[in-house]
Amino acid sequence: MAEFVSMGGYGFYIWGSYLVTALLMVVEVILVRRRRQKLLTRLARISARNSQESSERKS
Amino acid sequence: MALNLFKLSSPASFYPFAGRLIPWFVVLTVLLTVAGLYLGFVVAPTDYKQGEAYRIMFVHVPAAWMSMFIYVVMAVYAGLALVMNTRLSTMMATALAPTGAMFTFIALWTGAFWGKPMWGAWWVWDARLTSELILLFLYIGYMSLYAAIDDPRRAARASGLLVLVGVVNVPVIYFSVKWWNTLHQGASVSFGQAPEMAATMLMAMLIMSLAFWMYTIAIVLMRVRCEILERERQSEWVQEAIARERGNG
């Protein structure tokens, strides 16, 4: 295992490349999912208020 | 499922369509990445000259390919938006940019981490590295220009022009290693002649490229759906989509 991590002495460079790549891709997914959640809640609140206003106008 | 491309160009029908595709591309991304990494780290042999350092290639090259490919696809959508003024093409270009910028940064980062042990330098003002850095600035320029202009139509027009002007940089990157004698490696994989690489190394790199491509499609479809919801929030179908989405959480 240690030999795998050391990667023939290039471990720092190899894992430095792979960790940053993995980190950036995971963070990007998290950001898009969070953006979607916030959007859905905001739009749901707006549509709830709209339907509430329209029902008040009717009554 | 009649794939009516004209119908799909309307955000209302593209939104559910994209939603159905995303899970497939997520699964493909995971499978291909696992296969690519296994081939790259377990099967592929040690390089006679570079030892283990060459394994950075399995993310560096796919990221670099994607950075160029995404920019060209962005330029096509931006061009479409300018000519046909279709909202969805602007949204696609906007959805592609962050992922393209990320892959450009990854290509530069992993390149530096490969260059340090092999060339002894994190950065060199080499033709390919410099043109890839310009590509990063073009992506950032596109995103900030689009964000800076409030009116969506004018923003699409201005940023679309920037993308089209910048597209000339992509062939410069691609051919830089041929036109100038660069420190950067020449094309070991190119159209028309056999790759000068061991089969397993090549296979691992190609599978990782496919994995990055599937990842790009999945993440861009997710982001474009956000763009669609934001832009079309007034319309009736968004209200229904919201109610349905909120229904199943």
Side-chain angles (χ1 to χ4, degrees), chain B residues 4-44:
Chain B
N4 172 338
L5 279 179
F6 182 73
K7 190 168 73 66
L8 274 187
S9 67
S10 89
S13 49
F14 185 77
Y15 180 84
F17 173 71
R20 281 196 302 275
L21 285 182
I22 291 171
W24 296 99
F25 286 109
V26 170
V27 167
L28 277 173
T29 303
V30 172
L31 292 180
L32 286 168
T33 303
V34 168
L37 291 180
Y38 176 75
L39 265 178
F41 277 90
V42 176
V43 175

Short mmCIF file of all heavy atoms in Angstrom, two decimals, chain B residues 4-44:
data_model
loop_
_atom_site.label_atom_id
_atom_site.label_comp_id
_atom_site.label_asym_id
_atom_site.label_seq_id
_atom_site.Cartn_x
_atom_site.Cartn_y
_atom_site.Cartn_z
N ASN B 4 -38.22 14.73 -31.60
CA ASN B 4 -38.49 15.84 -32.52
C ASN B 4 -37.59 17.00 -32.11
O ASN B 4 -37.83 17.66 -31.10
CB ASN B 4 -39.98 16.19 -32.40
CG ASN B 4 -40.29 17.44 -33.17
OD1 ASN B 4 -39.40 18.24 -33.44
ND2 ASN B 4 -41.53 17.60 -33.54
N LEU B 5 -36.53 17.19 -32.88
CA LEU B 5 -35.55 18.19 -32.47
C LEU B 5 -36.15 19.57 -32.39
O LEU B 5 -35.80 20.36 -31.53
CB LEU B 5 -34.37 18.18 -33.47
CG LEU B 5 -33.36 17.05 -33.17
CD1 LEU B 5 -32.23 17.04 -34.16
CD2 LEU B 5 -32.85 17.16 -31.75
N PHE B 6 -37.10 19.86 -33.28
CA PHE B 6 -37.66 21.20 -33.23
C PHE B 6 -38.39 21.41 -31.89
O PHE B 6 -38.19 22.38 -31.20
CB PHE B 6 -38.62 21.41 -34.39
CG PHE B 6 -39.18 22.81 -34.40
CD1 PHE B 6 -38.39 23.90 -34.77
CD2 PHE B 6 -40.48 23.06 -33.96
CE1 PHE B 6 -38.88 25.20 -34.73
CE2 PHE B 6 -40.97 24.36 -33.93
CZ PHE B 6 -40.18 25.41 -34.31
N LYS B 7 -39.15 20.37 -31.52
CA LYS B 7 -39.92 20.49 -30.27
C LYS B 7 -38.93 20.65 -29.11
O LYS B 7 -39.15 21.43 -28.19
CB LYS B 7 -40.77 19.23 -30.08
CG LYS B 7 -41.79 19.28 -28.97
CD LYS B 7 -42.76 18.13 -29.03
CE LYS B 7 -42.11 16.81 -28.61
NZ LYS B 7 -41.73 16.83 -27.17
N LEU B 8 -37.80 19.94 -29.19
CA LEU B 8 -36.85 19.96 -28.08
C LEU B 8 -36.17 21.31 -27.94
O LEU B 8 -35.58 21.61 -26.92
CB LEU B 8 -35.77 18.88 -28.30
CG LEU B 8 -36.15 17.49 -27.79
CD1 LEU B 8 -34.97 16.56 -27.91
CD2 LEU B 8 -36.65 17.55 -26.36
N SER B 9 -36.26 22.14 -28.98
CA SER B 9 -35.56 23.41 -28.84
C SER B 9 -36.36 24.36 -27.97
O SER B 9 -35.90 25.43 -27.62
CB SER B 9 -35.36 24.03 -30.23
OG SER B 9 -36.62 24.39 -30.72
N SER B 10 -37.57 23.94 -27.58
CA SER B 10 -38.31 24.83 -26.66
C SER B 10 -37.99 24.40 -25.23
O SER B 10 -37.99 23.20 -24.92
CB SER B 10 -39.81 24.67 -26.91
OG SER B 10 -40.28 23.63 -26.09
N PRO B 11 -37.65 25.38 -24.39
CA PRO B 11 -37.26 25.04 -23.02
C PRO B 11 -38.27 24.14 -22.32
O PRO B 11 -37.90 23.22 -21.60
CB PRO B 11 -37.17 26.41 -22.35
CG PRO B 11 -36.90 27.37 -23.44
CD PRO B 11 -37.60 26.82 -24.64
N ALA B 12 -39.56 24.37 -22.58
CA ALA B 12 -40.59 23.63 -21.85
C ALA B 12 -40.47 22.13 -22.12
O ALA B 12 -40.65 21.31 -21.22
CB ALA B 12 -41.98 24.11 -22.25
N SER B 13 -40.13 21.75 -23.35
CA SER B 13 -40.05 20.30 -23.61
C SER B 13 -38.63 19.80 -23.36
O SER B 13 -38.42 18.62 -23.09
CB SER B 13 -40.46 20.00 -25.05
OG SER B 13 -39.77 20.87 -25.90
N PHE B 14 -37.64 20.68 -23.41
CA PHE B 14 -36.26 20.24 -23.18
C PHE B 14 -36.04 19.94 -21.69
O PHE B 14 -35.31 19.02 -21.35
CB PHE B 14 -35.27 21.32 -23.63
CG PHE B 14 -33.84 20.88 -23.52
CD1 PHE B 14 -33.29 20.01 -24.46
CD2 PHE B 14 -33.04 21.29 -22.47
CE1 PHE B 14 -31.98 19.59 -24.36
CE2 PHE B 14 -31.73 20.87 -22.36
CZ PHE B 14 -31.20 20.02 -23.30
N TYR B 15 -36.73 20.70 -20.83
CA TYR B 15 -36.51 20.55 -19.38
C TYR B 15 -36.76 19.11 -18.90
O TYR B 15 -35.88 18.48 -18.34
CB TYR B 15 -37.41 21.54 -18.64
CG TYR B 15 -37.28 21.49 -17.14
CD1 TYR B 15 -36.28 22.18 -16.48
CD2 TYR B 15 -38.17 20.72 -16.38
CE1 TYR B 15 -36.15 22.11 -15.10
CE2 TYR B 15 -38.05 20.66 -15.00
CZ TYR B 15 -37.05 21.36 -14.37
OH TYR B 15 -36.92 21.29 -13.01
N PRO B 16 -37.98 18.52 -19.20
CA PRO B 16 -38.19 17.13 -18.72
C PRO B 16 -37.30 16.14 -19.44
O PRO B 16 -36.81 15.17 -18.86
CB PRO B 16 -39.67 16.89 -18.99
CG PRO B 16 -40.07 17.92 -19.96
CD PRO B 16 -39.16 19.08 -19.82
N PHE B 17 -37.05 16.42 -20.74
CA PHE B 17 -36.21 15.51 -21.53
C PHE B 17 -34.82 15.41 -20.91
O PHE B 17 -34.29 14.33 -20.67
CB PHE B 17 -36.14 16.04 -22.97
CG PHE B 17 -35.19 15.30 -23.85
CD1 PHE B 17 -35.47 14.00 -24.29
CD2 PHE B 17 -33.98 15.89 -24.25
CE1 PHE B 17 -34.56 13.32 -25.10
CE2 PHE B 17 -33.09 15.21 -25.06
CZ PHE B 17 -33.38 13.92 -25.49
N ALA B 18 -34.25 16.58 -20.61
CA ALA B 18 -32.91 16.59 -20.00
C ALA B 18 -32.95 15.88 -18.65
O ALA B 18 -32.05 15.12 -18.30
CB ALA B 18 -32.45 18.04 -19.83
N GLY B 19 -34.05 16.11 -17.92
CA GLY B 19 -34.16 15.50 -16.60
C GLY B 19 -34.09 13.99 -16.66
O GLY B 19 -33.46 13.34 -15.83
N ARG B 20 -34.69 13.43 -17.72
CA ARG B 20 -34.69 11.95 -17.83
C ARG B 20 -33.30 11.43 -18.21
O ARG B 20 -32.92 10.32 -17.84
CB ARG B 20 -35.71 11.53 -18.88
CG ARG B 20 -37.16 11.54 -18.40
CD ARG B 20 -38.07 10.76 -19.33
NE ARG B 20 -38.03 11.30 -20.69
CZ ARG B 20 -38.78 12.32 -21.10
NH1 ARG B 20 -39.60 12.90 -20.24
NH2 ARG B 20 -38.72 12.77 -22.34
N LEU B 21 -32.52 12.26 -18.92
CA LEU B 21 -31.20 11.78 -19.39
C LEU B 21 -30.14 11.77 -18.29
O LEU B 21 -29.25 10.94 -18.30
CB LEU B 21 -30.73 12.70 -20.53
CG LEU B 21 -31.40 12.52 -21.88
CD1 LEU B 21 -30.77 13.47 -22.89
CD2 LEU B 21 -31.26 11.09 -22.37
N ILE B 22 -30.25 12.72 -17.36
CA ILE B 22 -29.16 12.94 -16.40
C ILE B 22 -28.74 11.66 -15.68
O ILE B 22 -27.55 11.32 -15.66
CB ILE B 22 -29.53 14.06 -15.41
CG1 ILE B 22 -29.57 15.40 -16.16
CG2 ILE B 22 -28.55 14.13 -14.25
CD1 ILE B 22 -30.12 16.55 -15.37
N PRO B 23 -29.69 10.87 -15.11
CA PRO B 23 -29.24 9.69 -14.36
C PRO B 23 -28.37 8.75 -15.20
O PRO B 23 -27.39 8.19 -14.71
CB PRO B 23 -30.55 9.02 -13.95
CG PRO B 23 -31.59 10.06 -14.03
CD PRO B 23 -31.15 11.03 -15.09
N TRP B 24 -28.72 8.61 -16.49
CA TRP B 24 -27.94 7.69 -17.34
C TRP B 24 -26.50 8.18 -17.44
O TRP B 24 -25.55 7.40 -17.33
CB TRP B 24 -28.56 7.62 -18.74
CG TRP B 24 -29.93 7.01 -18.72
CD1 TRP B 24 -31.13 7.66 -18.74
CD2 TRP B 24 -30.24 5.61 -18.62
NE1 TRP B 24 -32.17 6.76 -18.67
CE2 TRP B 24 -31.65 5.50 -18.60
CE3 TRP B 24 -29.46 4.46 -18.55
CZ2 TRP B 24 -32.30 4.27 -18.49
CZ3 TRP B 24 -30.11 3.24 -18.45
CH2 TRP B 24 -31.50 3.15 -18.42
N PHE B 25 -26.34 9.48 -17.62
CA PHE B 25 -24.98 9.99 -17.79
C PHE B 25 -24.21 9.94 -16.48
O PHE B 25 -22.99 9.76 -16.47
CB PHE B 25 -25.03 11.42 -18.35
CG PHE B 25 -25.39 11.46 -19.80
CD1 PHE B 25 -26.63 11.93 -20.22
CD2 PHE B 25 -24.50 10.97 -20.76
CE1 PHE B 25 -26.98 11.93 -21.56
CE2 PHE B 25 -24.83 10.98 -22.10
CZ PHE B 25 -26.07 11.45 -22.50
N VAL B 26 -24.92 10.05 -15.36
CA VAL B 26 -24.24 9.92 -14.07
C VAL B 26 -23.70 8.50 -13.91
O VAL B 26 -22.53 8.29 -13.57
CB VAL B 26 -25.21 10.27 -12.91
CG1 VAL B 26 -24.60 9.90 -11.58
CG2 VAL B 26 -25.58 11.74 -12.96
N VAL B 27 -24.53 7.51 -14.24
CA VAL B 27 -24.09 6.11 -14.11
C VAL B 27 -22.90 5.85 -15.03
O VAL B 27 -21.88 5.28 -14.62
CB VAL B 27 -25.27 5.16 -14.47
CG1 VAL B 27 -24.77 3.73 -14.67
CG2 VAL B 27 -26.33 5.22 -13.39
N LEU B 28 -23.00 6.34 -16.27
CA LEU B 28 -21.89 6.14 -17.22
C LEU B 28 -20.61 6.78 -16.70
O LEU B 28 -19.52 6.20 -16.78
CB LEU B 28 -22.27 6.75 -18.57
CG LEU B 28 -23.14 5.88 -19.48
CD1 LEU B 28 -23.58 6.65 -20.73
CD2 LEU B 28 -22.36 4.63 -19.89
N THR B 29 -20.75 7.98 -16.14
CA THR B 29 -19.56 8.67 -15.61
C THR B 29 -18.88 7.81 -14.56
O THR B 29 -17.66 7.57 -14.62
CB THR B 29 -19.96 10.02 -14.98
OG1 THR B 29 -20.64 10.79 -15.96
CG2 THR B 29 -18.77 10.76 -14.46
N VAL B 30 -19.66 7.29 -13.61
CA VAL B 30 -19.07 6.52 -12.51
C VAL B 30 -18.40 5.26 -13.04
O VAL B 30 -17.24 4.97 -12.75
CB VAL B 30 -20.16 6.18 -11.46
CG1 VAL B 30 -19.60 5.22 -10.42
CG2 VAL B 30 -20.69 7.45 -10.82
N LEU B 31 -19.13 4.52 -13.90
CA LEU B 31 -18.57 3.26 -14.41
C LEU B 31 -17.27 3.50 -15.18
O LEU B 31 -16.25 2.84 -14.95
CB LEU B 31 -19.61 2.59 -15.33
CG LEU B 31 -20.87 2.05 -14.64
CD1 LEU B 31 -21.83 1.42 -15.66
CD2 LEU B 31 -20.49 1.03 -13.58
N LEU B 32 -17.30 4.50 -16.08
CA LEU B 32 -16.12 4.75 -16.92
C LEU B 32 -14.95 5.24 -16.08
O LEU B 32 -13.80 4.88 -16.33
CB LEU B 32 -16.48 5.77 -18.00
CG LEU B 32 -17.36 5.22 -19.13
CD1 LEU B 32 -17.91 6.37 -19.99
CD2 LEU B 32 -16.58 4.24 -20.00
N THR B 33 -15.24 6.05 -15.05
CA THR B 33 -14.14 6.55 -14.22
C THR B 33 -13.48 5.39 -13.47
O THR B 33 -12.24 5.28 -13.44
CB THR B 33 -14.68 7.60 -13.22
OG1 THR B 33 -15.32 8.63 -13.96
CG2 THR B 33 -13.57 8.18 -12.39
N VAL B 34 -14.32 4.52 -12.89
CA VAL B 34 -13.75 3.38 -12.15
C VAL B 34 -12.91 2.52 -13.10
O VAL B 34 -11.76 2.18 -12.80
CB VAL B 34 -14.89 2.55 -11.52
CG1 VAL B 34 -14.36 1.22 -11.01
CG2 VAL B 34 -15.55 3.33 -10.38
N ALA B 35 -13.46 2.24 -14.28
CA ALA B 35 -12.72 1.40 -15.24
C ALA B 35 -11.42 2.10 -15.66
O ALA B 35 -10.34 1.49 -15.66
CB ALA B 35 -13.59 1.15 -16.45
N GLY B 36 -11.52 3.41 -15.94
CA GLY B 36 -10.34 4.15 -16.40
C GLY B 36 -9.25 4.17 -15.36
O GLY B 36 -8.08 3.93 -15.64
N LEU B 37 -9.64 4.43 -14.10
CA LEU B 37 -8.63 4.51 -13.04
C LEU B 37 -8.02 3.14 -12.78
O LEU B 37 -6.81 3.00 -12.55
CB LEU B 37 -9.26 5.08 -11.76
CG LEU B 37 -9.64 6.56 -11.85
CD1 LEU B 37 -10.25 7.04 -10.55
CD2 LEU B 37 -8.43 7.42 -12.22
N TYR B 38 -8.87 2.09 -12.84
CA TYR B 38 -8.32 0.74 -12.62
C TYR B 38 -7.27 0.41 -13.69
O TYR B 38 -6.15 0.03 -13.40
CB TYR B 38 -9.45 -0.29 -12.67
CG TYR B 38 -8.95 -1.71 -12.55
CD1 TYR B 38 -8.52 -2.23 -11.33
CD2 TYR B 38 -8.84 -2.53 -13.68
CE1 TYR B 38 -8.02 -3.51 -11.23
CE2 TYR B 38 -8.35 -3.82 -13.58
CZ TYR B 38 -7.93 -4.30 -12.35
OH TYR B 38 -7.43 -5.57 -12.26
N LEU B 39 -7.66 0.66 -14.97
CA LEU B 39 -6.70 0.39 -16.05
C LEU B 39 -5.45 1.24 -15.87
O LEU B 39 -4.32 0.77 -16.00
CB LEU B 39 -7.37 0.75 -17.39
CG LEU B 39 -8.05 -0.38 -18.16
CD1 LEU B 39 -8.69 0.17 -19.44
CD2 LEU B 39 -7.03 -1.45 -18.52
N GLY B 40 -5.66 2.51 -15.52
CA GLY B 40 -4.55 3.45 -15.46
C GLY B 40 -3.58 3.17 -14.33
O GLY B 40 -2.37 3.35 -14.47
N PHE B 41 -4.10 2.71 -13.19
CA PHE B 41 -3.20 2.56 -12.04
C PHE B 41 -2.82 1.11 -11.76
O PHE B 41 -1.80 0.86 -11.13
CB PHE B 41 -3.86 3.17 -10.79
CG PHE B 41 -3.67 4.65 -10.71
CD1 PHE B 41 -4.60 5.50 -11.28
CD2 PHE B 41 -2.55 5.19 -10.13
CE1 PHE B 41 -4.43 6.87 -11.24
CE2 PHE B 41 -2.36 6.57 -10.09
CZ PHE B 41 -3.31 7.42 -10.64
N VAL B 42 -3.63 0.16 -12.21
CA VAL B 42 -3.32 -1.23 -11.86
C VAL B 42 -2.77 -1.97 -13.07
O VAL B 42 -1.76 -2.68 -12.98
CB VAL B 42 -4.61 -1.93 -11.34
CG1 VAL B 42 -4.34 -3.40 -11.08
CG2 VAL B 42 -5.12 -1.22 -10.10
N VAL B 43 -3.38 -1.75 -14.22
CA VAL B 43 -3.01 -2.54 -15.40
C VAL B 43 -1.84 -1.89 -16.15
O VAL B 43 -0.86 -2.54 -16.50
CB VAL B 43 -4.23 -2.69 -16.33
CG1 VAL B 43 -3.83 -3.40 -17.62
CG2 VAL B 43 -5.37 -3.42 -15.62
N ALA B 44 -1.93 -0.60 -16.37
CA ALA B 44 -0.92 0.08 -17.19
C ALA B 44 0.47 -0.05 -16.55
O ALA B 44 0.61 0.12 -15.34
CB ALA B 44 -1.28 1.54 -17.36
#
